[in-house]
Amino acid sequence: MAIHLPDNQKQEILQNAKVIVIVGLSPDASKASYQVASFLLEKGYEIVPIYPKGGYILGKQAYISLKEAFIAMAAKGLQCDIINVFRKSEALLEVVNSICALDGLSSFDKNKLCVWVQLGLQNKEAAQTAKNNGLAYEEDSCIKLEYQRIFNTHIS
């Protein structure tokens, strides 16, 4: 069963967030991750792509790992608010473990961070690990669709 945050908590997270790290952001414009990232940029969020080949996606530098991205954000004085994950369900525990390993970096504050796992993806062990480490965790949920639903914006 998927783990979901209460709507009031999701609304607060989305209202207060400024920086969203996107794990698995594809440079392919036909992919859901690219479309969601474009939407988030339109809504004024700063995005930080994680893509194994690096480069640039949507005009933003892509990092090959979470650690590399968080070190770069720390150097710029940025704080991550949401980590939006586009990875297979089987990879979610590894992703959450990587997130927990970031504790101690100035760009990482587990009390203000939300791990948001995209629609169709869920993993019990990842959810439990996030909970055990004090992370807000939302899974099997599209951040774009939830934004539109919570703020009653037109679906495009």
Side-chain angles (χ1 to χ4, degrees):
M1 183 158 168
I3 305 298
H4 296 289
L5 298 169
D7 279 356
N8 63 332
Q9 189 176 359
K10 284 191 262 193
Q11 182 175 355
E12 184 179 332
I13 289 165
L14 291 168
Q15 279 178 329
N16 295 325
K18 292 177 180 59
V19 178
I20 302 176
V21 170
I22 304 177
V23 177
L25 177 54
S26 172
D28 182 343
S30 70
K31 300 281 187 185
S33 63
Y34 187 96
Q35 294 162 11
V36 167
S38 295
F39 173 84
L40 294 171
L41 279 171
E42 288 171 19
K43 295 298 175 190
Y45 296 104
E46 177 69 32
I47 66 160
V48 179
I50 306 296
Y51 181 66
K53 295 178 183 173
Y56 284 82
I57 303 173
L58 290 164
K60 304 291 180 180
Q61 181 176 352
Y63 297 91
I64 61 170
S65 71
L66 278 166
K67 186 174 183 179
E68 182 186 53
F70 273 76
I71 289 170
M73 286 188 295
K76 296 176 187 173
L78 295 175
Q79 179 85 39
C80 178
D81 302 301
I82 299 171
I83 298 178
N84 189 211
V85 183
F86 286 88
R87 292 286 313 278
K88 292 180 180 177
S89 293
E90 305 81 61
L92 293 177
L93 180 57
E94 179 186 337
V95 171
V96 171
N97 284 333
S98 295
I99 292 166
C100 294
L102 299 169
D103 202 4
L105 292 174
S106 64
S107 51
F108 179 88
D109 181 348
K110 71 179 180 181
N111 298 315
K112 296 179 182 174
L113 180 71
C114 176
V115 178
W116 199 305
V117 179
Q118 275 302 125
L119 196 60
L121 305 173
Q122 55 187 321
N123 182 301
K124 280 184 201 173
E125 294 85 8
Q128 190 62 50
T129 299
K131 181 181 177 185
N132 291 347
N133 284 276
L135 296 169
Y137 187 84
E138 169 84 4
E139 68 179 8
D140 191 20
S141 174
C142 177
I143 194 169
K144 175 183 173 184
L145 296 177
E146 287 299 285
Y147 182 101
Q148 292 170 325
R149 181 183 67 80
I150 288 169
F151 296 107
N152 276 326
T153 61
H154 294 89
I155 296 175
S156 56

